[in-house]
Amino acid sequence: MMANVAQAKTRTFTQKARRAQIVQAAIEALAESGYAKASFTRISQQAKLSSTGMISYHFSGKPELFAEVANTVIGQARELTAARIAEETTHRGRLSAYITSSFDFVARHPLQARALMEIVRMVRDGRISGLDDVEHTVTSVEYLVTLLQQGREAGEFGTFDCRTMALAVRGATDSVLRHHLCGQFTQLQDVARELADIFDRCTRPT
């Protein structure tokens, strides 16, 4: 881990730009063709590289490349969510922002969302090793648990088990987004508002 951090600090601007180019090409390949066809050959073609050796120069293999893809997408999603939550002054508003920002991210960045979904599927199907931390990060509800606990302590939420409620929120949100990414419906903003309203009502103090 320390070696990776040191390497990241010493990369030149050109190297960082090339890595970003490869990561973007991997996102596009995963989103458009699925993980089964996201080979280094496919990714190098997408990035318009002269050979797959240019990918191997920057990444030791698929685990490192796809981990970089996942971390890039997760970072982008977190930035959007954090910005939306920062605009709210109540915990109820923050819960709604948490839910709707997930839908907004998918609407704005469909390729990134599809690529991340493919990586999680890859890990769950045992097609790739060394990315268990990625799946854990994607499915974690710790931030949401804390948000609910703080809102309950402030008297904005009712009495319920915060972890169970967090799992319900994430489960509902993720299920809707998976259906959307599979092309089953397109009205994301309407669904986002409806889902936020449902959890607003079921978390209110009685």
Side-chain angles (χ1 to χ4, degrees):
M1 179 64 73
M2 293 300 294
N4 290 338
V5 172
Q7 289 172 0
K9 288 182 178 180
T10 58
R11 290 183 189 123
T12 66
F13 175 82
T14 301
Q15 289 173 328
K16 290 178 181 178
R18 179 66 75 189
R19 283 175 66 90
Q21 178 188 9
I22 293 169
V23 167
Q24 182 58 35
I27 288 173
E28 294 168 3
L30 283 164
E32 295 169 6
S33 304
Y35 67 76
K37 296 181 180 180
S39 64
F40 270 17
T41 298
R42 171 75 175 82
I43 294 168
S44 65
Q45 292 172 346
Q46 189 76 28
K48 295 181 173 58
L49 302 176
S50 58
S51 71
T52 59
M54 297 186 71
I55 300 178
S56 299
Y57 175 80
H58 292 279
F59 298 95
S60 60
K62 279 189 174 182
E64 184 184 358
L65 173 55
F66 290 160
E68 184 79 4
V69 168
N71 290 331
T72 298
V73 176
I74 291 169
Q76 292 171 342
R78 283 178 170 174
E79 284 182 11
L80 176 59
T81 298
R84 290 294 178 79
I85 288 176
E87 296 173 354
E88 301 295 333
T89 58
T90 67
H91 293 90
R92 307 198 67 76
R94 290 168 192 147
L95 175 59
S96 292
Y98 179 93
I99 294 170
T100 57
S101 65
S102 297
F103 289 87
D104 195 23
F105 180 79
V106 172
R108 291 185 181 189
H109 307 286
L111 293 182
Q112 284 84 345
R114 289 181 186 277
L116 186 58
M117 183 176 71
E118 287 295 321
I119 290 173
V120 172
R121 284 179 55 196
M122 196 187 314
V123 175
R124 290 176 177 172
D125 291 350
R127 298 291 187 94
I128 196 167
S129 60
L131 297 185
D132 292 342
D133 287 347
V134 169
E135 183 184 16
H136 175 75
T137 300
V138 170
T139 59
S140 174
V141 295
E142 297 309 316
Y143 177 85
L144 188 51
V145 169
T146 300
L147 189 157
L148 292 168
Q149 288 173 338
Q150 292 173 344
R152 193 176 62 183
E153 292 169 1
E156 295 184 36
F157 296 136
T159 303
F160 51 78
D161 181 74
C162 292
R163 184 165 296 277
T164 300
M165 184 63 72
L167 289 169
V169 171
R170 280 299 302 270
T173 302
D174 291 350
S175 178
V176 171
L177 291 175
R178 281 196 302 271
H179 280 76
H180 168 73
L181 291 171
C182 291
Q184 296 188 22
F185 62 85
T186 58
Q187 302 301 320
L188 269 187
Q189 300 308 316
D190 291 341
V191 177
R193 286 191 294 269
E194 182 68 22
L195 203 58
D197 183 62
I198 288 171
F199 281 105
D200 181 71
R201 282 184 275 125
C202 71
T203 55
R204 290 176 184 171
T206 55

